[in-house]
Amino acid sequence: MKRVLLGAVVIVLVFGLSTAAVAQSTTGALVGDVTDSSGARLPGVGVKVVSQQTGAARDTITNELGSYRFNGLPPADYNVTVELSGFKGIERKAVNVAIGGTSTVNFTMEVASITDTIQVTEQAPLVETKENAVQTLIDNKHIQELPLKSRNFMDLALLSPGVVMDQGAAAGGQVTPISFGALDARYKSIWLEGVDFNDEVTSGGSSLSDPTRIQLAQEAIQEFQVMATGYSTEFGRSAGGVINIVSKSGTNSFHGNVFYFRRSDKFAKPPFTVSNGVASPLNPEPFSKIQQTGGTVGGPIKKDKAHFFFSYERQLSDRTVSVNIPAAIKSFVSGLGYDTRTEVPVDTKVNNYVGKLTFVLHPSHTLNLSYLYDDRRLPNQQVSSSSAADHGYNDVRAAYFLVGNLTSLLGSKSVNEFRFSRSIQKLNRIVPGNNLPQLSFPSVSFGQASNIPQSRQQYNWVFVDTASRHFTGFFGEHDLKFGGQANKVYAVGRINNSFNGAYSFQRDQPVTAADRAPNACQPYNANTCSLPFSFTQGIDLRNNNAQIERSVNIYYGFVNDSWRVTPRFTMNLGLRWDYIQWVGDLNGTPYPSGVSEFELFRRMIVGDLRGVNYVTMPEQHDWSPRFGFSWDTRGNGRTVVRGSFGYYYDRVNTTSLRSVIDGYNGFTTSAVSNDARTTGVANTFFPSLPRAGQISSAGGTSFNVPNPSGKFPYTQQSTIGIQHQFASNWAFAVDYNHTFGQHFQQSRNVNAPINQPCTGAACIYPVIPGSSIRLIVLDNSGVVKIDQLQTRLQGRLNKMTLNVGYTIAKAKGDAGTPVDAYNMHDFGPLSNDVRHRVTSNAIYELPFQIHLGGILTFNTAAPYNKVLGTANFNDRGNTARAAGVGFNAGRGEDFFTLDL
């Protein structure tokens, strides 16, 4: 209770004091020093910045140390002017300020006998001496000019050192398969317009589909940051990295574009299959065509005062999926009423809208209103070569996102930014045709899938206030930043749990009339009987498609000080507090006092606590201290040494928690099953559902139980690096990063026998004596250890920009389901452990304003787990590996691509 009160005090202080001071989540900063020709600092110099896009102007004067700072500048190009009586005025044009960045522009003023102004056209420095974070800015030029066959701007995040393609998410076709430091794609955080933009249900998508959050059209994006490590305490809820996005705004000039993109298999090499080393074209050949069309328009409503921007994009994807149905079972399955089409159309339709209004309410107050809407119709999902048309589903989803941002200048040194957001995300997975029981043959599955239909909705209210104040004193200059957020999430979901039943077959062959005769397959013989060997069915104990509320309330507060101790040395000190409060079904009954975990588990399965919804894991308050420094070694802005250390806490997605509740004994569903291979009793009732007395075993053989000792995952990240600008247009950087993480998601059977090998009555089960029931705990005890050496080369030539990155890394961690239930540290390479990765991109300006862009990517093979698919050491799961084979011991193929 004291910790809750302390957290509440932090939030109250953050919001109560915010009027005294701006965060850089949607804006940037412009800083610099003004000196005379002898190097002496000049206080009292007038400094003015004017946006080239909107005409918005700000002015200040240099302090007693001769330095100036503008916080809260929207990303844009600015003209900067300095003036002081007795000196020549200086104007520098087209100074770019990026989202979340700090641009440094220094001036050296000369004595003048008459009033005149010098125009300076030199480019901004390649080395930023006041930042310690390892981050990459993907600006609008790269978004527009680099080739993206996916038309998904998030793919450009893969150009950043330390970022790799998440293998599992990519295999599932997700739109954000981005891994920071080899962690799972779920361990990242996405921000849009300064607001938490994450999907609380899955964190980053599932094996079935993308996250329900809005997918953003490439043409609507102004720029985004890719922050790998060392970022400030303003950003959190991520054990890995952060992607911070800002959309385009209108300007004082009318601009617009229209576009049409088409990808067709007519331009591709025909697909083929390989059998016994021989490649053969697919017959019939699947069809594929993708079209994307739309446009943007933006301009002034009233010059310098109000602006608008609008974007629309429509995607049409027409393709066919080939289902491989063995000829031996096709007519048999068709006769039972199942869909046996071998060519299934998948014609998806997506409409995406983005609108933004900007109002200068007062010279000190600017309001931005953004609205996004995304509508998707995705038929025949999950259909594949081994999944028939009636085993898939139609995916229908819609998402709405409204955000308001009020930026207020409170004097020349303080800025406050208040943001609010309302978002609605809806997803429905609908059975496309019949609702017959599932049939699973070795080659292909038919009928209603065990997890369909399902639906989920998420409704968010988000309120954020962040502030900053620049002041001089206490041994140097300070930029104090603080703020907090309240995010109220109401979420509900429904899911099918094999309510229609599911049959599994030993071979791809039809059931014979002889085997259907009474007692023909008694006792069951897997080698001779054609009947299905297994039948399972879920029984809903509450209502069909059981609904679970998985709401959460999310709070955080932070304070961060960028302390310029000397003109050459800057420190960043920060502290962050995170708290997630379970609501609805997640906020179950508190654990009974004085009861051990094993006693709690036993009573939930065979005792008086059956059917009680216990909270899946405790709520917790997380404190994240962070420290960083940057040192301009020579004072000329060309060489900087930087480093950082910090704690980075993540969250547990509500899908994982819902799955735990789904498996409680007596709460949502109870399985009715029969495996003829072990019982010897054939499923002679096929193809009908069984009647009373026709099942040899009733009740579940596996249940979930809560984890009273559960923790949230976190990482400790340490970095040290150096960046040096050589010549006038080249810079090179080297950074070493070490990451140690704990409490990553694992699952284990706490009732696995403690004596091995054993059979029958000889097995000793620790939780329920004499019973082999599997009791699965979401253990969250996984450990990760990651080391990376990242190098980057930047070049700005006459007509070309060039970026080359190379990362050598080693990433290891624990298996999600260890082979041995009593040895959780089943250590091996992480699934995204790419040892060597090279990324390079270039943009070259040809005559007639034609731009040639290219992306080159190479990485060595990622690992995979080599399992036998049989029972493991003591858990009776299917994660067993051959003797001497470790976790993720296999390696795939190297990867190389060149896009022009």
Side-chain angles (χ1 to χ4, degrees), residues 21 60-61 63 71 410-415 468-472:
T60 188
I61 60 173
N63 61 20
N71 281 328
L410 308 175
S412 61
K413 299 180 182 294
S414 301
V415 187
S468 71
R469 181 173 179 83
H470 178 72
F471 63 93
T472 304

Side-chain angles (χ1 to χ4, degrees), residues 826-863:
D826 189 2
F827 216 61
L830 294 176
S831 298
N832 299 316
D833 175 40
V834 173
R835 296 296 172 86
H836 301 274
R837 179 172 173 82
V838 177
T839 61
S840 177
N841 66 88
I843 300 175
Y844 185 79
E845 184 176 346
L846 298 170
F848 307 108
Q849 295 186 331
I850 296 174
H851 292 84
L852 176 66
I855 299 175
L856 181 149
T857 302
F858 167 79
N859 58 251
T860 52

Side-chain angles (χ1 to χ4, degrees), residues 111 120 126 163 197 310 497 550 570 593 698 803 810:
V111 176
V120 181
L126 290 169
V163 178
F197 193 56
F310 177 76
N497 285 282
R550 43 187 176 183
T570 301
S593 60
N803 296 277
K810 185 177 182 180

Side-chain angles (χ1 to χ4, degrees), residues 520-649:
C521 281
Q522 307 289 5
Y524 178 83
N525 186 325
N527 295 319
T528 60
C529 184
S530 61
L531 287 170
F533 69 81
S534 173
F535 171 79
T536 60
Q537 183 180 15
I539 297 178
D540 190 346
L541 301 178
R542 299 197 299 177
N543 52 67
N544 192 31
N545 293 339
Q547 176 173 299
I548 287 182
E549 181 186 343
R550 43 187 176 183
S551 302
V552 293
N553 295 328
I554 304 165
Y555 306 96
Y556 75 74
F558 78 94
V559 60
N560 199 89
D561 184 23
S562 180
W563 177 14
R564 193 180 182 190
V565 183
T566 72
R568 294 166 53 184
F569 186 77
T570 301
M571 287 200 303
N572 282 284
L573 306 169
L575 180 65
R576 180 183 174 91
W577 170 76
D578 286 279
Y579 171 55
I580 294 182
Q581 180 184 48
W582 307 131
V583 185
D585 290 313
L586 301 184
N587 184 27
T589 302
Y591 309 117
S593 60
V595 177
S596 67
E597 287 189 8
F598 276 16
E599 178 66 11
L600 171 66
F601 300 159
R602 187 191 66 78
R603 290 170 62 184
M604 287 181 67
I605 305 304
V606 297
D608 58 317
L609 302 182
R610 181 181 183 274
V612 179
N613 175 25
Y614 285 107
V615 60
T616 55
M617 63 181 297
E619 300 171 348
Q620 67 184 79
H621 303 257
D622 298 318
W623 296 89
S624 306
R626 298 176 195 171
F627 163 78
F629 73 90
S630 56
W631 175 36
D632 184 358
T633 58
R634 298 183 179 181
N636 59 5
R638 300 176 70 89
T639 305
V640 61
V641 175
R642 59 183 173 227
S644 67
F645 172 81
Y647 281 73
Y648 300 83
Y649 275 89

Side-chain angles (χ1 to χ4, degrees), residues 772-792:
S772 62
I773 290 177
R774 302 178 76 232
L775 302 182
I776 307 302
V777 168
L778 188 64
D779 191 86
N780 287 18
S781 61
V783 171
V784 298
K785 296 179 181 179
I786 304 168
D787 291 282
Q788 301 176 84
L789 185 66
Q790 305 169 1
T791 62
R792 288 177 291 170

Side-chain angles (χ1 to χ4, degrees), residues 255-551:
H255 291 282
N257 74 319
V258 294
F259 58 87
Y260 174 78
F261 295 92
R262 176 188 173 106
R263 291 179 61 196
S264 172
D265 57 8
K266 301 298 183 184
F267 307 108
K269 183 177 181 179
F272 60 89
T273 183
V274 177
S275 177
N276 297 323
V278 178
S280 304
L282 289 178
N283 187 24
E285 183 180 316
F287 168 76
S288 176
K289 180 176 69 175
I290 300 174
Q291 301 176 84
Q292 292 175 267
T293 183
T296 67
V297 62
I301 300 173
K302 183 177 181 181
K303 187 176 180 180
D304 295 341
K305 297 296 183 181
H307 305 85
F308 77 95
F309 174 82
F310 177 76
S311 165
Y312 168 72
E313 178 169 301
R314 179 177 178 84
Q315 301 178 29
L316 301 175
S317 175
D318 304 321
R319 62 187 178 94
T320 59
V321 175
S322 296
V323 184
N324 297 326
I325 301 177
I329 63 173
K330 186 172 183 180
S331 60
F332 164 70
V333 173
S334 178
L336 296 175
Y338 291 87
D339 193 329
T340 56
R341 286 177 293 167
T342 57
E343 295 297 310
V344 181
V346 182
D347 303 329
T348 64
K349 297 178 177 63
V350 177
N351 290 285
N352 184 274
Y353 305 83
V354 177
K356 191 171 186 178
L357 297 173
T358 303
F359 302 97
V360 180
L361 306 177
H362 180 274
S364 297
H365 302 283
T366 301
L367 175 66
N368 284 283
L369 293 174
S370 301
Y371 180 75
L372 297 82
Y373 171 64
D374 190 78
D375 178 83
R376 295 176 177 255
R377 307 285 188 232
L378 314 173
N380 293 325
Q381 301 298 290
Q382 197 169 256
V383 178
S384 66
S385 61
S386 59
S387 179
D390 56 4
H391 192 65
Y393 60 90
N394 294 335
D395 192 314
V396 179
R397 61 178 65 191
Y400 314 79
F401 184 77
L402 171 68
V403 60
N405 185 333
L406 178 64
T407 302
S408 301
L409 309 179
L410 308 175
S412 61
K413 299 180 182 294
S414 301
V415 187
N416 188 80
E417 195 168 356
F418 173 75
R419 297 183 292 276
F420 73 90
S421 171
R422 173 61 167 172
S423 61
I424 302 174
Q425 305 170 37
K426 297 182 178 181
L427 175 149
N428 286 283
R429 294 180 177 135
I430 305 166
V431 177
N434 63 61
N435 57 354
L436 295 173
Q438 176 178 307
L439 305 183
S440 294
F441 292 90
S443 297
V444 62
S445 295
F446 302 88
Q448 183 176 333
S450 60
N451 58 346
I452 302 298
Q454 61 173 279
S455 65
R456 64 176 184 251
Q457 296 86 41
Q458 179 176 314
Y459 304 81
N460 291 58
W461 278 108
V462 183
F463 298 93
V464 188
D465 197 90
T466 52
S468 71
R469 181 173 179 83
H470 178 72
F471 63 93
T472 304
F474 190 68
F475 307 105
E477 296 180 76
H478 297 262
D479 281 283
L480 184 65
K481 219 185 282 189
F482 50 90
Q485 171 190 273
N487 183 353
K488 185 176 181 62
V489 183
Y490 172 73
V492 293
R494 294 175 180 266
I495 188 168
N496 182 3
N497 285 282
S498 295
F499 297 139
N500 276 21
Y503 290 97
S504 297
F505 291 82
Q506 191 83 14
R507 294 176 296 279
D508 291 327
Q509 67 178 37
V511 175
T512 64
D515 287 342
R516 286 177 173 174
N519 301 320
C521 281
Q522 307 289 5
Y524 178 83
N525 186 325
N527 295 319
T528 60
C529 184
S530 61
L531 287 170
F533 69 81
S534 173
F535 171 79
T536 60
Q537 183 180 15
I539 297 178
D540 190 346
L541 301 178
R542 299 197 299 177
N543 52 67
N544 192 31
N545 293 339
Q547 176 173 299
I548 287 182
E549 181 186 343
R550 43 187 176 183
S551 302

